[in-house]
């Protein structure tokens, strides 16, 4: 290989590297912390709303609006570091008293029961059983079966309780 061909090859490699680096810099390095936080909050909200919809898809009206507001607040606290701080006591949870409404669908009634059971203080073994019960309910609701990775992640989370 002659010197001229080697030089041209080097220039091609440098050009490709520059283009790739510019793309990485533009998407990752040049983003300000405020933009990064905004994107992280949006991603968190999207993921949690999908999970909330999967568990209680028939929630409407005030309940859905309150649920979305709660998700947004949780995600903002999570991303901006407003979560638990070591050495401080957590803020008391406020629960709203809602009047029971007639359920239009069996899944709505089950979701309300699971939500009501989740709001009650529970022992560690009771929380684990509740968590495993949610997995079983999800298995019954999905005709094609559960995603094995999701189910394993949920079981690991339940074991951690």
């Amino acid at each position: 290989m002659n010197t001229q061909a080697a030089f041209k090859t080097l220039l091609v490699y440098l050009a490709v590297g520059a283009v790739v680096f510019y793309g990485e810099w533009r998407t990752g390095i040049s983003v300000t912390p405020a933009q990064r936080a905004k994107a992280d909050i949006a991603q968190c909200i999207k993921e949690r709303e999908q999970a909330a919809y999967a568990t209680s898809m028939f929630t409407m009206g005030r309940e859905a609006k309150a649920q979305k507001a709660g998700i947004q607040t949780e995600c903002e606290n999570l991303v901006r570091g407003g979560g638990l701080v070591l050495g401080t006591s957590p803020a008391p949870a406020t629960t709203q008293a809602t009047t029971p409404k007639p359920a239009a669908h069996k899944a709505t009634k089950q979701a309300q029961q699971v939500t009501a059971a989740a709001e009650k203080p529970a022992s560690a073994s009771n929380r684990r059983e509740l968590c495993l019960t949610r997995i079983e309910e999800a298995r019954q609701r999905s005709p094609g079966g559960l995603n094995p990775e999701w189910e394993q992640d949920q079981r690991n989370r339940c074991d951690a309780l």
Side-chain angles (χ1 to χ4, degrees):
M1 187 170 196
N2 61 18
T3 316
Q4 202 173 26
F7 184 68
K8 287 180 181 178
T9 304
L10 179 65
L11 286 177
V12 168
Y13 279 120
L14 288 175
V16 169
V19 169
V20 169
F21 176 75
Y22 177 72
E24 290 293 321
W25 173 79
R26 198 168 150 243
T27 59
I29 299 172
S30 68
V31 176
T32 65
Q35 291 171 333
R36 173 76 55 153
K38 186 176 179 181
D40 289 344
I41 290 171
Q43 180 68 25
C44 176
I45 289 172
K46 179 180 173 186
E47 291 172 357
R48 292 201 181 188
E49 281 183 349
Q50 288 175 350
Y53 179 76
T55 58
S56 57
M57 65 181 73
F58 297 108
T59 304
M60 293 186 286
R62 291 182 189 150
E63 294 173 8
K65 189 174 182 179
Q67 185 179 30
K68 285 185 179 187
I71 288 172
Q72 184 171 2
T73 303
E74 289 174 6
C75 287
E76 286 176 357
N77 287 340
L78 180 69
V79 170
R80 295 202 169 115
L84 292 176
V85 178
L86 295 177
T88 62
S89 63
T94 58
T95 58
Q96 296 179 352
T98 58
T99 58
K101 298 178 182 176
H105 193 272
K106 184 178 179 182
T108 305
K109 193 171 189 178
Q110 289 176 349
Q112 289 173 349
Q113 291 172 351
V114 170
T115 304
E119 290 175 357
K120 295 178 184 176
S123 66
S125 62
N126 194 13
R127 285 184 287 188
R128 183 177 183 279
E129 293 301 320
L130 180 63
C131 183
L132 293 174
T133 304
R134 287 180 182 166
I135 295 172
E136 293 303 319
E137 289 173 356
R139 179 177 288 127
Q140 291 173 357
R141 283 193 311 261
S142 60
L146 295 176
N147 181 349
E149 294 172 358
W150 178 85
E151 184 177 2
Q152 186 60 42
D153 287 343
Q154 294 300 315
R155 288 196 184 275
N156 291 341
R157 187 177 61 83
C158 292
D159 292 339
L161 292 176

